[in-house]
């Protein structure tokens, strides 16, 4: 493999890091943002929502549009827009303009993440797809885990340094380019349609991803509440505990990808859902702090089993016609599940703290197998129109 090809392949994986990192980079700098822009910390927290809303909403269509426009062109334009949006965040003199920059970052990222997955599927051999997706998942986990830490460290000096950093990274990724990727078209030679991305098999996979994200990794807010209420743990220690899930995902995603290749994506998703349900239930019930920390960390392995497995299921089922569109729908539903979790589960926790953990555990244990059982009898991709 030539050096330019190696650089492009490395940039493909590094692109997985940028999205989760950009989304979470303001989480640890909310007080500093509030002071700088003269807004409350609660108002400053909307900087996270401003990124995630356009990110999730646009992914419902961004993959299909990217397949129509060309994967390489779309991803490179997405990186360019991300650079511009980061510059807006750095230079913004008002809170409104800063939020505009955050929204533009999220919108730009919506046109990179699903298409990077589609490019990855076309750049590796089918029997090595799981391993490749494992690497991709580990970079996503690294971005999610490191964002609060890097953002907090940057805010110690100047919060704008974090946005200078992500802007430079996006610029370098755009300059590196992407591995060669084939021109996509539907079976009859026409451009991919939005309808082709909304197949039942894709929607079911997206619902599995929504449960896997919303009822596993997306429960970090719930664990933070329990750590404060039950164990009286301060904010610094809470943040350290919460990183355990992401670190476990980073360390095991590559191995999980290999397991997907060996035993199949469906079995890995089921294993992740069942083990994750048991671990989340334990996190909510066990009265010993170090055991709770250990269970939460192990849940990172379950989360990767579900998410890497779902990506492999979709990329293996949809065929070459609209891979990017299918992946964008799955990712949109995944992050939609994460967005719903705080709204749906927090009231349950306040009514009954144990039920707050048992309900998502039950959804994982029952919902994922039910969705996969339905999917098992779905017609093959060639027969779906």
């Amino acid at each position: 493999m030539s050096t330019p090809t190696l650089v492009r392949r490395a940039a493909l994986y590094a692109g997985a890091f940028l999205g989760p990192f950009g989304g979470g980079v303001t989480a640890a700098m909310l007080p500093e943002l509030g002071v700088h822009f003269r807004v409350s910390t609660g108002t400053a927290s909307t900087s996270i929502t401003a990124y995630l809303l356009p990110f999730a909403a646009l992914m419902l269509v961004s993959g299909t549009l990217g397949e129509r426009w060309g994967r390489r062109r779309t991803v490179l334009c997405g990186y360019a827009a991300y650079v511009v949006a980061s510059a807006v965040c750095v230079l913004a003199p008002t809170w409104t303009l800063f939020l505009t920059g955050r929204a533009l970052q999220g919108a730009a990222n919506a046109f990179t993440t699903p298409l990077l997955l589609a490019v990855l599927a076309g750049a590796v051999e089918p029997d090595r797809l799981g391993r490749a997706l494992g690497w991709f998942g580990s970079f996503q986990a690294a971005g999610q885990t490191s964002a609060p830490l890097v953002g907090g460290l940057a805010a110690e000096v100047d919060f704008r340094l974090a946005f200078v950093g992500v802007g430079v990274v996006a610029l370098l990724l755009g300059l590196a380019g992407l591995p060669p990727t084939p021109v996509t078209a539907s079976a009859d030679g026409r451009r991919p349609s939005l309808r082709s991305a909304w197949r039942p098999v894709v929607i079911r996979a997206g619902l599995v991803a929504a449960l896997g994200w919303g009822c596993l990794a997306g429960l970090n807010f719930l664990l933070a509440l329990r750590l404060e209420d039950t164990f009286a743990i301060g904010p610094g220690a809470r943040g350290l505990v919460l990183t355990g899930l992401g670190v476990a995902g980073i360390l095991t995603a590559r191995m999980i990808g290999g397991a997907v290749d060996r035993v199949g994506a469906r079995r890995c998703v089921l294993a992740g859902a069942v083990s994750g349900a048991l671990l989340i239930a334990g996190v909510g019930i066990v009265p010993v702090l170090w055991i709770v920390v250990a269970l939460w960390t192990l849940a990172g392995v379950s989360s990767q089993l579900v998410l890497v497995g779902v990506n492999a299921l979709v990329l293996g089922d949809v065929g070459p016609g609209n891979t990017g569109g299918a992946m964008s729908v799955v990712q949109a539903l995944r992050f939609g599940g994460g967005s719903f979790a705080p709204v749906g589960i927090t009231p349950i926790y306040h009514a009954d703290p144990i039920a707050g953990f048992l309900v998502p555990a039950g959804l994982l244990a029952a919902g994922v197998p039910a969705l996969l059982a339905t999917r098992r009898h779905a017609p093959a991709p060639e027969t779906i129109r």
Side-chain angles (χ1 to χ4, degrees):
M1 189 180 292
S2 65
T3 299
T5 302
L6 284 172
V7 170
R8 289 174 185 144
R9 181 69 64 86
L12 177 59
Y13 289 112
F17 177 93
L18 186 62
F21 183 89
V25 73
T26 63
M29 61 172 69
L30 299 181
E32 288 75 17
L33 288 175
V35 170
H36 181 83
F37 290 106
R38 299 180 181 179
V39 298
S40 68
T41 302
T43 300
S45 69
T46 59
S47 62
I48 301 173
T49 305
Y51 184 102
L52 291 177
L53 277 180
F55 176 56
L58 283 174
M59 275 202 296
L60 293 172
V61 298
S62 61
T64 299
L65 293 176
E67 296 283 16
R68 290 181 179 181
W69 300 334
R71 293 173 183 171
R72 182 178 181 277
R73 178 190 305 168
T74 303
V75 171
L76 295 184
C77 287
Y79 284 145
Y82 203 100
V83 172
V84 173
S86 299
V88 171
C89 292
V90 171
L91 301 173
T94 65
W95 177 244
T96 300
L97 193 56
F98 180 81
L99 283 186
T100 300
R102 289 291 288 163
L104 289 174
Q105 281 186 320
N109 186 225
F111 286 90
T112 60
T113 298
L115 292 167
L116 289 174
L117 283 164
V119 171
L120 181 64
V124 301
E125 297 297 325
D127 61 349
R128 297 183 62 84
L129 178 60
R131 293 177 178 83
L133 290 173
W135 277 113
F136 196 92
S138 68
F139 275 89
Q140 286 189 312
Q144 179 190 6
T145 302
S146 64
L149 175 62
V150 174
L153 292 175
E156 293 283 350
V157 181
D158 188 333
F159 76 87
R160 288 170 289 201
L161 291 175
F163 296 97
V164 172
V166 294
V168 170
V169 170
L171 177 62
L172 293 176
L173 290 174
L175 293 175
L178 295 173
T181 180
V183 178
T184 55
S186 60
D188 57 8
R190 286 187 267 177
R191 294 190 305 170
S193 65
L194 292 173
R195 182 179 178 183
S196 67
W198 285 87
R199 297 174 180 175
V201 66
V202 174
I203 295 174
R204 281 190 289 271
L207 292 175
V208 170
L211 286 175
W213 188 252
C215 297
L216 273 170
L219 291 184
N220 54 0
F221 73 94
L222 197 65
L223 176 58
L225 290 175
R226 185 170 191 233
L227 290 174
E228 181 179 12
D229 295 341
T230 304
F231 302 105
I233 300 298
R238 289 200 303 269
L240 185 61
V241 170
L242 294 180
T243 62
L245 182 141
V247 171
I250 295 169
L251 296 177
T252 61
R254 174 69 174 82
M255 180 178 62
I256 288 168
V260 168
D261 289 332
R262 290 192 302 272
V263 304
R266 185 175 180 275
R267 291 178 179 175
C268 286
V269 174
L270 284 172
V274 173
S275 63
L278 294 173
L279 292 167
I280 290 300
V283 167
I285 294 173
V286 174
V288 182
L289 178 59
W290 73 265
I291 298 179
V292 170
V293 174
L295 293 175
W296 176 252
T297 301
L298 288 173
V301 182
S302 299
S303 178
Q304 287 295 338
L305 279 167
V306 174
L307 297 176
V308 174
V310 165
N311 287 340
L313 280 174
V314 176
L315 291 171
D317 278 354
V318 299
N322 192 6
T323 309
M327 288 311 305
S328 68
V329 170
V330 170
Q331 297 300 310
L333 291 174
R334 166 190 168 183
F335 286 101
S339 300
F340 176 77
V343 178
I345 296 176
T346 301
I348 300 174
Y349 173 82
H350 287 312
D352 185 337
I354 293 179
F357 288 88
L358 293 183
V359 168
L363 288 173
L364 271 175
V368 171
L371 288 165
L372 289 180
T374 304
R375 176 198 165 277
R376 196 175 187 179
H377 302 291
E382 296 81 17
T383 66
I384 300 176
R385 292 290 182 262

